[in-house]
Amino acid sequence: MLDLKEVAKNFDAVVARLNDRGGKLDLSRFQALFAERKQLYTELEANQAQKNRVQDEMKTDPEKRKALSGAMKELGAVIKEQEARLKALEEALSGVMLQLPNVPHPSVPTGPDESANQVVKTWGKKPDFLFAPKQHFELGEKLGLLDFERAAKVSGPRFAFSRGALARLERALVAFMIDQHVARGYEELLPPYLVSREAMTGTGQLPKFEDDAFKTQGDHELFLIPTAEVPVTNFHADEILELPLPRRYVAFSPCFRAEAGSAGRDTRGLIRMHQFHKVEIVRFAHPEDSLGELDELVADASNILELLGLPYRVSLLCTGDMGFASQKTFDLEVWLPGQNAWREISSCSNFGDFQARRAKIRFRPGPGEKPQLLHTLNGSGLAAGRTAVALLENYQREDGSVGLPEVLWPYMGGIKELTAR
RNA sequence: GGAGCAGUGGCCGAGCGGUUGAAGGCAGCGGUCUUGAAAACCGCAGAUGUCGAAAGGCAUCCGUAGGUUCGAAUCCUACCUGCUCCGCCA
């Protein structure tokens, strides 16, 4: 969430930058609501002050108590009515605020969609094949390691069974990634996979994107997490952290996405699933350091791709392509020779204080100083399923078998390649 | 799921209708003492909102939401969370 007073103060500039994201915002009500709120506050507080003054006199004087208690009752009713009006106003205002996305950082290029993203780095060499490289699902199905039909039978479309060595590969990747991040200073967390509405609101998935989430039935409402970002960022909700910052966490979790309306895109394969597995890295950073920390986050995610020998590139997303809560985002895209395309495998974002304000995550800048909102960042490090896809497509051989990079062998119990079951 | 107990400032913890925004302790800050530090002593010190150029004033906040009352941290109701015991379960 944006800061209410900042928005009011810099209204035109904020609206202009928000419009760079595309879509149109209707903020016609905002300024009227804000002015009304201010006015009502002044009136209400004057009445409350009056009430407190009289009450003070009544405390010690039984005569006054008798004489004034009727008038006080009336004043009480007025106050109550004003409070109710104020509450309604605040709700309307915060309803508007909750719909507003984050303001893109000045260093973010302006543009309508992914065509305006800037590739800032390319790493690795695309593999040369003497044959036509296959897509991962052809490879997987031919090896008998990937089964979409049975998953459809059990769960419907956009689910998959991995079998044998491929199932193990994803487990190995997760362990490998976590170990790497822990070695670089992250604390491992195993988070809950079901979270409350508050947690989803804290990180910005709600209220705007409720349709994208799976949620439980019955009076006990819980949401299946779309990413470990939600439980891990909310880990410090309502807290005041002591220095030093940053705090770094790495968490594995399955991720659940309903993505209503995405039917028809990437219908085949593992790229777009209702459930996938991801290792997420999260930082709670000092506001002054958060831009640099975003670079470190990108480096931490890149490290995994480099160790696995997967060619990738880094894009700075433009205003129109960024997520709702993000201030600045770098996407890591891995090369998929079977698809002959770069595909997103990690998204690293700096949220500024947008999530921190919603989830009330603060830090104390110095001993005795006032608590201040900190900055939150997170990135995939990496999406495990898509990493497996990348390995299949980049390390495939003409006979359909797939070699595995040496760093994974210990995690695979000595298995060095994927061959037909 | 059933029964009981509890939720107070950064942390611990008193208070149980008006004098309490809240005792006391710890942590923090400033000072005295000291070559320096520690200890001891003295003082300062919550959050949010609102008015104001500022100094400062005012308001709200004792798990959350309501209610009773002229007045609620204190009484009532519901809900949430935690703890203990029982049941169930990996």
Coordinates of all heavy atoms in Angstrom, one line a residue, chain A residues 33-120:
Chain A
L33 N -12.7 12.3 -0.8 CA -12.7 11.5 0.4 C -11.7 12.0 1.4 O -11.9 12.1 2.6 CB -12.5 10.1 0.1 CG -13.6 9.3 -0.6 CD1 -13.1 7.9 -1.0 CD2 -14.8 9.1 0.3
F34 N -10.5 12.3 0.9 CA -9.4 12.7 1.7 C -9.8 14.0 2.4 O -9.5 14.2 3.6 CB -8.1 12.8 0.9 CG -6.9 13.1 1.8 CD1 -6.3 12.1 2.5 CD2 -6.4 14.4 1.8 CE1 -5.2 12.3 3.3 CE2 -5.2 14.6 2.6 CZ -4.7 13.6 3.3
A35 N -10.3 15.0 1.7 CA -10.7 16.3 2.2 C -11.8 16.1 3.3 O -11.7 16.7 4.4 CB -11.1 17.2 1.1
E36 N -12.7 15.3 3.0 CA -13.8 15.0 3.9 C -13.3 14.4 5.2 O -13.8 14.8 6.3 CB -14.9 14.1 3.2 CG -16.2 14.2 3.8 CD -17.2 13.3 3.1 OE1 -16.9 12.9 2.0 OE2 -18.2 12.9 3.8
R37 N -12.4 13.5 5.1 CA -11.8 12.8 6.2 C -11.1 13.8 7.2 O -11.3 13.8 8.4 CB -10.8 11.8 5.8 CG -10.2 11.0 6.9 CD -9.0 10.1 6.4 NE -7.8 10.9 6.5 CZ -6.7 10.5 7.2 NH1 -6.8 9.3 7.9 NH2 -5.6 11.2 7.3
K38 N -10.4 14.7 6.5 CA -9.6 15.7 7.3 C -10.6 16.6 8.1 O -10.4 16.8 9.3 CB -8.9 16.6 6.3 CG -7.6 17.1 6.8 CD -6.8 17.6 5.6 CE -5.6 18.4 6.1 NZ -4.6 18.8 5.1
Q39 N -11.6 17.1 7.4 CA -12.6 17.9 8.0 C -13.3 17.2 9.2 O -13.4 17.8 10.2 CB -13.6 18.3 6.9 CG -15.0 18.8 7.4 CD -14.9 20.3 7.6 OE1 -14.0 20.9 7.1 NE2 -15.9 20.8 8.3
L40 N -13.7 16.0 8.9 CA -14.4 15.3 10.0 C -13.5 15.0 11.2 O -14.0 15.1 12.3 CB -14.9 13.9 9.4 CG -15.9 13.1 10.2 CD1 -17.1 14.0 10.7 CD2 -16.4 11.9 9.5
Y41 N -12.3 14.8 10.9 CA -11.3 14.6 12.0 C -11.3 15.8 12.9 O -11.3 15.7 14.2 CB -9.9 14.3 11.5 CG -9.4 12.9 11.7 CD1 -9.2 12.0 10.6 CD2 -9.2 12.4 12.9 CE1 -8.8 10.7 10.7 CE2 -8.7 11.1 13.1 CZ -8.6 10.3 12.0 OH -8.2 9.0 12.2
T42 N -11.2 16.9 12.3 CA -11.1 18.2 13.1 C -12.3 18.3 14.0 O -12.2 18.6 15.2 CB -11.0 19.4 12.1 OG1 -10.0 19.0 11.2 CG2 -10.6 20.6 12.9
E43 N -13.5 18.1 13.4 CA -14.7 18.3 14.1 C -14.9 17.3 15.3 O -15.2 17.6 16.4 CB -16.0 18.1 13.2 CG -16.1 19.3 12.2 CD -17.2 19.0 11.2 OE1 -18.0 18.1 11.4 OE2 -17.2 19.6 10.1
L44 N -14.6 16.1 14.9 CA -14.7 15.0 15.9 C -13.8 15.2 17.1 O -14.2 15.1 18.2 CB -14.4 13.6 15.2 CG -14.2 12.4 16.2 CD1 -15.6 12.2 16.9 CD2 -13.8 11.2 15.4
E45 N -12.5 15.6 16.8 CA -11.6 15.7 17.9 C -11.9 16.9 18.8 O -11.7 16.9 20.0 CB -10.1 15.9 17.3 CG -9.7 14.5 16.7 CD -8.3 14.5 16.3 OE1 -7.6 15.5 16.5 OE2 -7.8 13.4 15.9
A46 N -12.5 18.0 18.2 CA -12.9 19.1 19.0 C -14.0 18.6 20.0 O -14.0 19.0 21.1 CB -13.5 20.2 18.1
N47 N -14.9 17.8 19.5 CA -16.0 17.3 20.3 C -15.5 16.4 21.4 O -15.9 16.4 22.6 CB -17.0 16.5 19.5 CG -18.0 17.5 18.8 OD1 -18.2 18.6 19.3 ND2 -18.5 17.0 17.7
Q48 N -14.5 15.6 21.1 CA -13.9 14.7 22.0 C -13.2 15.4 23.1 O -13.3 15.1 24.3 CB -13.0 13.7 21.4 CG -13.7 12.6 20.6 CD -12.8 11.8 19.7 OE1 -11.8 12.3 19.2 NE2 -13.0 10.5 19.6
A49 N -12.5 16.5 22.7 CA -11.8 17.3 23.7 C -12.7 18.0 24.6 O -12.5 18.0 25.8 CB -10.9 18.4 22.9
Q50 N -13.9 18.5 24.1 CA -14.9 19.1 24.9 C -15.4 18.1 25.9 O -15.6 18.4 27.1 CB -16.0 19.6 24.0 CG -17.4 19.8 24.6 CD -17.4 21.1 25.4 OE1 -16.4 21.8 25.5 NE2 -18.5 21.4 26.0
K51 N -15.7 16.9 25.5 CA -16.2 15.9 26.3 C -15.3 15.5 27.5 O -15.7 15.4 28.6 CB -16.5 14.6 25.5 CG -17.0 13.4 26.3 CD -17.3 12.2 25.3 CE -17.2 10.9 26.1 NZ -17.3 9.8 25.1
N52 N -14.0 15.4 27.1 CA -13.0 15.1 28.1 C -12.9 16.2 29.2 O -12.7 15.9 30.3 CB -11.6 14.9 27.5 CG -11.5 13.6 26.7 OD1 -12.4 12.7 26.9 ND2 -10.6 13.4 25.8
R53 N -13.0 17.4 28.7 CA -12.9 18.6 29.6 C -14.0 18.5 30.6 O -13.8 18.6 31.9 CB -13.0 19.9 28.8 CG -11.7 20.7 28.9 CD -11.9 22.1 28.3 NE -12.8 22.2 27.2 CZ -12.4 22.1 25.9 NH1 -11.2 21.7 25.6 NH2 -13.3 22.2 25.0
V54 N -15.2 18.4 30.2 CA -16.4 18.3 31.1 C -16.3 17.1 32.0 O -16.6 17.2 33.2 CB -17.7 18.3 30.2 CG1 -18.9 18.1 31.2 CG2 -17.8 19.5 29.4
Q55 N -15.9 16.0 31.4 CA -15.8 14.8 32.2 C -14.9 15.0 33.4 O -15.1 14.4 34.5 CB -15.4 13.6 31.4 CG -16.1 12.4 31.6 CD -16.9 11.9 30.4 OE1 -16.3 11.7 29.4 NE2 -18.2 11.9 30.5
D56 N -13.8 15.7 33.1 CA -12.8 16.0 34.2 C -13.5 16.7 35.3 O -13.2 16.4 36.5 CB -11.7 16.8 33.6 CG -10.4 16.2 33.8 OD1 -10.3 14.9 33.8 OD2 -9.4 16.9 34.0
E57 N -14.3 17.7 35.0 CA -15.0 18.4 36.1 C -16.0 17.6 36.8 O -16.1 17.6 38.0 CB -15.8 19.6 35.4 CG -14.9 20.7 34.8 CD -15.7 21.7 34.0 OE1 -16.9 21.9 34.3 OE2 -15.1 22.3 33.0
M58 N -16.7 16.7 36.1 CA -17.7 15.8 36.7 C -17.1 14.8 37.7 O -17.7 14.4 38.6 CB -18.4 15.0 35.6 CG -19.3 15.9 34.8 SD -19.9 15.0 33.3 CE -21.3 14.2 34.1
K59 N -15.8 14.5 37.4 CA -15.1 13.5 38.2 C -15.2 13.8 39.7 O -15.4 13.0 40.5 CB -13.7 13.4 37.7 CG -13.1 12.1 37.7 CD -11.9 11.8 36.8 CE -11.1 13.0 36.4 NZ -10.1 12.6 35.4
T60 N -14.9 15.1 40.0 CA -14.8 15.5 41.4 C -16.0 16.2 41.9 O -16.1 16.5 43.1 CB -13.6 16.5 41.5 OG1 -13.7 17.5 40.5 CG2 -12.3 15.7 41.3
D61 N -17.0 16.6 41.1 CA -18.1 17.4 41.5 C -19.4 16.7 41.2 O -19.9 16.7 40.1 CB -18.0 18.7 40.7 CG -19.0 19.7 41.2 OD1 -20.0 19.3 41.9 OD2 -18.9 20.9 41.0
P62 N -20.0 16.1 42.3 CA -21.3 15.4 42.1 C -22.4 16.3 41.6 O -23.3 15.8 40.9 CB -21.6 14.9 43.5 CG -20.4 15.1 44.3 CD -19.6 16.2 43.6
E63 N -22.4 17.6 42.0 CA -23.4 18.5 41.5 C -23.4 18.6 39.9 O -24.4 18.4 39.3 CB -23.2 19.9 42.0 CG -23.4 20.0 43.5 CD -24.9 19.8 43.9 OE1 -25.7 20.4 43.3 OE2 -25.1 18.9 44.7
K64 N -22.2 18.8 39.4 CA -22.0 18.9 38.0 C -22.4 17.6 37.3 O -22.9 17.6 36.2 CB -20.6 19.3 37.7 CG -20.3 20.8 37.8 CD -19.0 21.2 37.2 CE -18.9 22.7 37.2 NZ -17.5 23.2 37.0
R65 N -22.1 16.6 38.0 CA -22.4 15.3 37.4 C -23.9 15.2 37.1 O -24.3 14.8 36.0 CB -22.0 14.2 38.4 CG -21.6 12.9 37.7 CD -21.1 11.9 38.7 NE -19.8 12.3 39.3 CZ -19.3 11.7 40.3 NH1 -19.9 10.6 40.9 NH2 -18.1 12.1 40.8
K66 N -24.6 15.6 38.1 CA -26.1 15.5 37.9 C -26.5 16.4 36.8 O -27.3 16.1 35.9 CB -26.7 15.9 39.2 CG -28.0 15.1 39.5 CD -28.5 15.3 40.9 CE -28.4 14.0 41.8 NZ -28.5 14.3 43.2
A67 N -26.0 17.7 36.9 CA -26.5 18.7 36.0 C -26.1 18.5 34.5 O -26.8 18.8 33.6 CB -25.9 20.1 36.4
L68 N -25.0 17.9 34.3 CA -24.4 17.8 32.9 C -24.6 16.5 32.3 O -24.3 16.4 31.1 CB -22.9 18.2 32.9 CG -22.6 19.7 33.3 CD1 -21.1 19.9 33.5 CD2 -23.2 20.6 32.3
S69 N -25.0 15.5 33.0 CA -25.0 14.2 32.4 C -25.9 14.0 31.2 O -25.6 13.3 30.3 CB -25.2 13.1 33.5 OG -26.5 12.6 33.4
G70 N -27.0 14.8 31.2 CA -27.9 14.7 30.1 C -27.2 15.3 28.8 O -27.2 14.7 27.8
A71 N -26.6 16.4 29.0 CA -25.9 17.1 27.9 C -24.8 16.2 27.4 O -24.5 16.1 26.2 CB -25.4 18.4 28.3
M72 N -24.1 15.6 28.3 CA -23.0 14.7 27.9 C -23.5 13.5 27.1 O -22.8 13.0 26.2 CB -22.3 14.2 29.2 CG -21.3 15.2 29.8 SD -20.0 15.6 28.6 CE -20.6 17.0 27.9
K73 N -24.7 13.0 27.5 CA -25.2 11.9 26.7 C -25.5 12.3 25.3 O -25.2 11.5 24.4 CB -26.5 11.5 27.4 CG -27.0 10.1 26.9 CD -28.0 9.5 27.9 CE -28.2 8.0 27.6 NZ -28.9 7.3 28.6
E74 N -26.0 13.5 25.1 CA -26.2 14.0 23.7 C -24.9 14.1 23.0 O -24.8 13.7 21.8 CB -26.9 15.4 23.7 CG -28.4 15.2 23.9 CD -29.1 16.6 24.1 OE1 -28.6 17.6 23.4 OE2 -30.0 16.7 25.0
L75 N -23.9 14.8 23.6 CA -22.6 14.9 23.0 C -22.0 13.6 22.6 O -21.5 13.4 21.5 CB -21.7 15.7 23.9 CG -20.3 16.0 23.3 CD1 -20.4 16.8 22.1 CD2 -19.4 16.8 24.4
G76 N -22.2 12.6 23.5 CA -21.8 11.3 23.3 C -22.4 10.7 22.0 O -21.7 10.0 21.2
A77 N -23.7 11.0 21.8 CA -24.4 10.5 20.6 C -23.8 11.1 19.4 O -23.6 10.4 18.4 CB -25.9 10.7 20.7
V78 N -23.5 12.4 19.4 CA -22.9 13.1 18.3 C -21.6 12.5 17.9 O -21.3 12.2 16.8 CB -22.8 14.6 18.6 CG1 -22.0 15.3 17.5 CG2 -24.1 15.3 18.7
I79 N -20.8 12.3 19.0 CA -19.5 11.7 18.8 C -19.6 10.4 18.1 O -18.8 10.0 17.2 CB -18.7 11.7 20.1 CG1 -18.3 13.1 20.5 CG2 -17.5 10.8 20.0 CD1 -17.7 13.2 21.9
K80 N -20.5 9.6 18.7 CA -20.6 8.2 18.1 C -21.0 8.2 16.6 O -20.5 7.5 15.9 CB -21.7 7.5 18.9 CG -21.6 6.0 18.9 CD -22.5 5.4 19.9 CE -21.8 4.4 20.8 NZ -22.6 3.8 21.8
E81 N -21.9 9.2 16.3 CA -22.3 9.3 14.9 C -21.1 9.7 14.0 O -20.9 9.2 12.9 CB -23.5 10.3 14.8 CG -24.0 10.5 13.4 CD -23.3 11.5 12.6 OE1 -22.8 12.5 13.3 OE2 -23.3 11.4 11.4
Q82 N -20.3 10.7 14.5 CA -19.2 11.1 13.8 C -18.1 10.0 13.6 O -17.5 9.9 12.6 CB -18.5 12.4 14.4 CG -19.4 13.6 14.3 CD -18.8 14.8 15.0 OE1 -18.2 14.7 16.0 NE2 -18.9 16.0 14.3
E83 N -18.0 9.2 14.7 CA -17.0 8.1 14.6 C -17.4 7.1 13.6 O -16.6 6.6 12.8 CB -16.9 7.5 16.0 CG -16.0 8.2 16.9 CD -16.0 7.6 18.4 OE1 -17.0 6.8 18.7 OE2 -15.1 7.9 19.1
A84 N -18.7 6.9 13.5 CA -19.2 5.9 12.5 C -19.0 6.4 11.1 O -18.6 5.7 10.2 CB -20.7 5.6 12.8
R85 N -19.2 7.7 10.9 CA -19.0 8.3 9.6 C -17.6 8.3 9.2 O -17.2 8.0 8.1 CB -19.5 9.8 9.6 CG -20.7 10.0 8.7 CD -21.4 11.3 9.0 NE -20.6 12.5 8.7 CZ -20.7 13.6 9.4 NH1 -21.6 13.7 10.3 NH2 -19.9 14.6 9.1
L86 N -16.7 8.6 10.2 CA -15.3 8.5 10.0 C -14.8 7.1 9.6 O -14.0 6.9 8.7 CB -14.5 9.0 11.2 CG -13.0 9.2 11.0 CD1 -12.7 10.2 10.0 CD2 -12.4 9.6 12.3
K87 N -15.3 6.2 10.3 CA -15.0 4.8 10.0 C -15.3 4.4 8.6 O -14.6 3.8 7.9 CB -15.7 3.9 11.0 CG -15.1 2.5 11.0 CD -15.8 1.6 12.1 CE -15.5 0.2 11.8 NZ -16.4 -0.7 12.6
A88 N -16.5 4.8 8.2 CA -17.0 4.5 6.8 C -16.1 5.2 5.8 O -15.7 4.6 4.8 CB -18.4 5.0 6.6
L89 N -15.7 6.4 6.1 CA -14.8 7.2 5.2 C -13.4 6.5 5.1 O -12.9 6.3 4.0 CB -14.6 8.6 5.8 CG -15.4 9.7 5.2 CD1 -15.0 11.0 5.9 CD2 -15.0 9.9 3.7
E90 N -12.9 6.1 6.3 CA -11.6 5.4 6.3 C -11.7 4.1 5.5 O -10.7 3.8 4.8 CB -11.2 5.1 7.7 CG -10.9 6.3 8.6 CD -9.5 6.9 8.4 OE1 -8.9 6.7 7.4 OE2 -9.1 7.5 9.4
E91 N -12.8 3.4 5.6 CA -12.9 2.2 4.9 C -13.0 2.4 3.4 O -12.3 1.7 2.6 CB -14.1 1.4 5.3 CG -13.8 0.4 6.5 CD -15.0 0.0 7.2 OE1 -16.1 0.0 6.7 OE2 -14.8 -0.5 8.4
A92 N -13.7 3.5 3.0 CA -13.8 3.8 1.6 C -12.4 4.2 1.0 O -12.0 3.8 0.0 CB -14.8 5.0 1.3
L93 N -11.7 5.0 1.8 CA -10.4 5.4 1.4 C -9.4 4.3 1.3 O -8.6 4.2 0.4 CB -9.9 6.5 2.5 CG -9.1 7.6 2.0 CD1 -9.5 8.2 0.7 CD2 -9.1 8.7 3.1
S94 N -9.4 3.4 2.3 CA -8.5 2.3 2.3 C -8.9 1.3 1.2 O -8.0 0.6 0.7 CB -8.3 1.6 3.7 OG -9.3 0.7 3.9
G95 N -10.2 1.3 0.9 CA -10.6 0.5 -0.2 C -9.9 0.9 -1.5 O -9.5 0.2 -2.3
V96 N -9.9 2.3 -1.7 CA -9.2 2.8 -2.8 C -7.7 2.5 -2.8 O -7.1 2.1 -3.8 CB -9.4 4.4 -2.9 CG1 -8.6 5.0 -4.0 CG2 -10.9 4.7 -3.1
M97 N -7.1 2.8 -1.6 CA -5.7 2.6 -1.5 C -5.2 1.1 -1.7 O -4.2 0.9 -2.3 CB -5.2 3.0 -0.1 CG -5.4 4.4 0.3 SD -4.5 5.5 -0.9 CE -2.8 5.2 -0.4
L98 N -6.1 0.2 -1.3 CA -5.7 -1.2 -1.5 C -5.7 -1.6 -2.9 O -5.1 -2.6 -3.3 CB -6.7 -2.1 -0.7 CG -6.4 -2.2 0.8 CD1 -7.5 -2.9 1.5 CD2 -5.1 -2.9 1.1
Q99 N -6.4 -0.9 -3.8 CA -6.5 -1.2 -5.2 C -5.3 -0.6 -6.0 O -5.1 -0.9 -7.1 CB -7.8 -0.6 -5.8 CG -9.0 -1.2 -5.2 CD -9.2 -2.7 -5.6 OE1 -8.8 -3.1 -6.6 NE2 -9.8 -3.4 -4.7
L100 N -4.6 0.3 -5.3 CA -3.5 1.0 -6.0 C -2.2 0.2 -6.0 O -1.8 -0.3 -5.0 CB -3.2 2.4 -5.3 CG -4.2 3.5 -5.4 CD1 -3.7 4.8 -4.9 CD2 -4.7 3.6 -6.8
P101 N -1.6 0.0 -7.2 CA -0.4 -0.7 -7.3 C 0.8 0.2 -6.8 O 0.6 1.4 -6.5 CB -0.2 -1.0 -8.7 CG -1.0 0.1 -9.4 CD -2.1 0.4 -8.5
N102 N 1.9 -0.4 -6.6 CA 3.1 0.4 -6.2 C 3.5 1.3 -7.3 O 3.3 1.1 -8.5 CB 4.2 -0.6 -5.8 CG 5.2 0.0 -4.8 OD1 5.2 1.2 -4.6 ND2 6.1 -0.8 -4.3
V103 N 4.2 2.4 -6.8 CA 4.7 3.4 -7.8 C 6.1 2.9 -8.3 O 7.0 2.6 -7.5 CB 4.9 4.7 -7.1 CG1 5.5 5.7 -8.1 CG2 3.6 5.3 -6.6
P104 N 6.2 2.7 -9.6 CA 7.5 2.2 -10.1 C 8.7 3.1 -9.8 O 8.5 4.4 -9.8 CB 7.3 2.2 -11.7 CG 5.8 2.2 -11.8 CD 5.2 2.9 -10.7
H105 N 9.8 2.5 -9.5 CA 11.0 3.3 -9.2 C 11.4 4.1 -10.4 O 11.2 3.7 -11.5 CB 12.1 2.3 -8.8 CG 13.3 2.9 -8.3 ND1 14.4 3.3 -9.1 CD2 13.7 3.3 -7.0 CE1 15.3 3.9 -8.3 NE2 14.9 3.9 -7.1
P106 N 12.0 5.3 -10.2 CA 12.4 6.1 -11.3 C 13.3 5.4 -12.3 O 13.3 5.7 -13.5 CB 13.2 7.3 -10.7 CG 12.7 7.3 -9.3 CD 12.3 5.9 -8.9
S107 N 14.1 4.4 -11.9 CA 15.0 3.7 -12.8 C 14.3 2.7 -13.6 O 14.9 2.0 -14.5 CB 16.1 3.0 -12.0 OG 15.5 2.1 -11.1
V108 N 13.0 2.5 -13.4 CA 12.2 1.5 -14.2 C 11.8 2.2 -15.5 O 11.2 3.2 -15.5 CB 11.0 1.0 -13.4 CG1 10.1 0.2 -14.3 CG2 11.4 0.2 -12.2
P109 N 12.1 1.5 -16.7 CA 11.7 2.1 -18.0 C 10.2 2.1 -18.1 O 9.5 1.2 -17.7 CB 12.4 1.2 -19.0 CG 12.6 -0.1 -18.3 CD 12.8 0.3 -16.8
T110 N 9.7 3.1 -18.8 CA 8.3 3.2 -19.0 C 7.9 2.5 -20.3 O 8.6 2.6 -21.3 CB 7.9 4.7 -19.2 OG1 8.3 5.4 -18.0 CG2 6.4 4.9 -19.4
G111 N 6.9 1.7 -20.2 CA 6.5 0.9 -21.4 C 5.2 0.2 -21.1 O 4.9 -0.1 -20.0
P112 N 4.5 -0.2 -22.2 CA 3.2 -0.8 -22.1 C 3.2 -2.3 -21.7 O 2.3 -2.9 -21.1 CB 2.6 -0.6 -23.4 CG 3.7 -0.6 -24.4 CD 4.9 0.0 -23.6
D113 N 4.3 -3.1 -22.2 CA 4.3 -4.5 -22.0 C 5.7 -5.0 -22.1 O 6.6 -4.2 -22.2 CB 3.4 -5.2 -23.1 CG 3.7 -4.7 -24.5 OD1 4.9 -4.7 -24.8 OD2 2.8 -4.5 -25.3
E114 N 5.9 -6.4 -22.2 CA 7.2 -6.9 -22.2 C 8.1 -6.5 -23.3 O 9.3 -6.6 -23.2 CB 7.1 -8.5 -22.1 CG 6.6 -9.1 -23.4 CD 5.1 -9.4 -23.3 OE1 4.4 -8.8 -22.5 OE2 4.7 -10.3 -24.1
S115 N 7.6 -5.9 -24.4 CA 8.4 -5.4 -25.4 C 9.3 -4.3 -25.0 O 10.3 -4.0 -25.6 CB 7.5 -5.0 -26.6 OG 6.8 -3.9 -26.3
A116 N 9.0 -3.6 -23.9 CA 9.7 -2.5 -23.5 C 10.7 -2.9 -22.3 O 11.4 -2.0 -21.8 CB 8.8 -1.4 -23.0
N117 N 10.8 -4.1 -22.0 CA 11.7 -4.6 -21.0 C 13.1 -4.4 -21.5 O 13.3 -4.5 -22.8 CB 11.5 -6.1 -20.6 CG 10.1 -6.2 -19.9 OD1 9.5 -5.3 -19.5 ND2 9.7 -7.5 -19.8
Q118 N 14.1 -4.2 -20.6 CA 15.5 -4.1 -21.1 C 16.3 -5.3 -20.7 O 16.4 -5.5 -19.5 CB 16.1 -2.8 -20.5 CG 15.3 -1.5 -21.0 CD 15.9 -0.3 -20.2 OE1 16.7 -0.4 -19.3 NE2 15.3 0.9 -20.7
V119 N 16.9 -5.9 -21.6 CA 17.8 -7.0 -21.3 C 19.1 -6.4 -20.8 O 19.8 -5.6 -21.5 CB 18.1 -7.9 -22.5 CG1 19.2 -9.0 -22.1 CG2 16.8 -8.6 -23.0
V120 N 19.5 -6.7 -19.5 CA 20.7 -6.0 -18.9 C 21.9 -7.0 -18.9 O 23.0 -6.5 -18.6 CB 20.4 -5.5 -17.5 CG1 19.3 -4.4 -17.6 CG2 19.9 -6.6 -16.6

